[in-house]
């Protein structure tokens, strides 16, 4: 098990159930950067909203009926509004397009109370926040919270172009001077910010948090191999290239202890496939970052898409929420 990742961020949840008990209304909608729309949401009855912590997200039912999770980016001290930013994804499953195209001020949106799989570490001496693109959203809430607490932090925010970068004005506030570094690559890999030097030294009590595209998270994962247990915190959902998208093939998993074989079609995770057959397995982040769904791999070659396992664990373990069989490997055998 990789002990560097913070596995205490959330308790395992046996099923991905969502109960949309909150009725929200859209109180404002504004495009804040190219392709990114900010929504302010309020309780439909005008009352106080359930509290949330920095790093938390809101699971909503989109107008076209999909479940989507969006990080809350306003200060956690606010109880009259939730603020989310939605990047309209032309290639995705349609949830973000539905949100951006169909919601308007006054629209009703059903949601579950906020959950937090990505909390700030308690007792940390310093927090390094690394955001990529729309991955800024949970980290912006952390910036608000850390400022309120008076704790030491730095935000490093990478994006491709200024015009597609959300919250530039907010992050240029004088009170954040010296604590925010924004870097634009302008779409040129040669101009991308080198992440490894930021992580080369680990000062005692430092924690790093990263939310952004898969390659950024991998860079942080690689660059923190020498950091202590529990000091690296990653958040993936809604920000990376969809690991289920494109090129996936049908394969099967044989569950050794259950004695059944389950087909895993493209677009479906192993976790989803086995649950559909009534086999339970614990999970939490369902994005390959927390380690909760770690399962023994008894046979077969896996294509590992998580941020937890080390190379020397790839033949024996698999994160069934994101990883699949390698192309050409028709079946994995799991200790389930
Ligand atoms: S549920 Fe977190 S890594 Fe799979």
């Amino acid at each position: 098990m990789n002990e560097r990742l913070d596995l205490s961020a959330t308790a395992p949840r046996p099923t991905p159930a969502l109960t949309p008990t909150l009725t929200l209304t859209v109180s404002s909608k504004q495009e804040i950067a190219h392709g990114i729309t900010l929504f302010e949401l309020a309780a439909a009855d005008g009352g106080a909203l359930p509290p949330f912590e920095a790093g938390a997200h809101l699971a909503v039912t989109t107008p076209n009926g999909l479940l989507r999770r969006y990080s809350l980016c306003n200060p956690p001290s606010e109880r009259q509004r939730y603020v989310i930013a939605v990047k309209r994804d032309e290639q995705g499953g349609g949830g973000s397009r539905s949100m951006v195209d169909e919601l308007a001020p006054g629209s009703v949106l059903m949601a579950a109370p906020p959950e937090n799989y990505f909390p700030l570490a308690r007792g940390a001496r310093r927090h390094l926040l690394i955001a990529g693109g729309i991955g800024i959203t949970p980290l912006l809430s952390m910036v608000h919270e850390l400022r309120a607490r008076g704790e030491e932090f730095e935000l490093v925010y990478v994006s491709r172009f200024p015009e597609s970068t959300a919250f530039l004005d907010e992050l240029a506030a004088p009170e954040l001077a010296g604590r925010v570094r924004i870097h634009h690559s302008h779409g040129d890999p040669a101009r991308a910010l080198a992440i490894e030097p930021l992580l080369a030294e680990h000062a005692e009590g430092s924690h790093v948090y990263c939310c952004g595209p898969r390659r950024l998270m991998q860079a942080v994962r690689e660059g923190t191999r020498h950091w202590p247990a529990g000091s690296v915190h990653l958040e993936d959902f809604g920000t990376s290239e969809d690991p289920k998208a494109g090129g996936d093939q049908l394969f099967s998993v044989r569950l050794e202890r259950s004695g059944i074989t389950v087909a895993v079609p493209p677009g479906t995770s192993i976790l989803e496939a086995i649950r559909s057959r009534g086999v339970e397995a614990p999970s939490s982040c369902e994005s390959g970052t927390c380690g909760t769904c770690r399962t023994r791999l008894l046979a077969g070659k896996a294509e590992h898409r998580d941020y937890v396992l080390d190379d020397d664990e790839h033949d024996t373990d698999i994160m069934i929420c994101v990883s699949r069989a390698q192309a050409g490997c028709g079946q994995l055998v799991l200790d389930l």
Side-chain angles (χ1 to χ4, degrees), residues 244-321:
K244 298 174 183 172
D248 284 352
Q249 297 177 354
L250 172 70
F251 64 100
S252 66
V253 286
R254 183 154 61 83
L255 308 184
E256 193 73 359
R257 283 187 279 130
S258 305
I260 61 171
T261 297
V262 179
V264 185
T268 298
S269 69
I270 296 174
L271 188 65
E272 292 166 339
I274 66 171
R275 280 178 172 160
S276 73
R277 294 286 302 276
V279 177
E280 282 302 335
S283 74
S284 180
C285 69
E286 298 187 8
S287 60
T289 59
C290 74
T292 303
C293 69
R294 183 186 186 111
T295 300
R296 294 284 292 171
L297 175 63
L298 302 177
K301 290 288 184 189
E303 180 182 314
H304 295 280
R305 298 177 173 181
D306 63 275
Y307 305 96
V308 177
L309 295 175
D310 288 325
D311 291 347
D312 61 2
E313 298 172 309
H314 281 175
D315 288 341
T316 57
D317 295 83
I318 183 171
M319 295 299 162
I320 59 173
C321 65

Side-chain angles (χ1 to χ4, degrees), residues 143-193:
V143 166
H144 292 306
E145 177 66 13
L146 291 168
R147 273 203 66 229
R149 292 186 194 174
E151 295 187 19
E152 187 181 336
F153 71 90
E154 181 185 10
L155 170 68
V156 177
Y157 181 14
V158 297
S159 74
R160 298 179 71 190
F161 301 101
E163 56 270 29
S164 58
T165 305
F167 306 112
L168 281 180
D169 290 347
E170 194 165 345
L171 293 171
E175 57 269 27
L176 292 176
R179 294 173 133 183
V180 174
R181 191 189 324 181
I182 298 175
H183 180 89
H184 303 296
S185 68
H186 297 270
D188 180 356
R191 296 171 68 180
L193 183 71

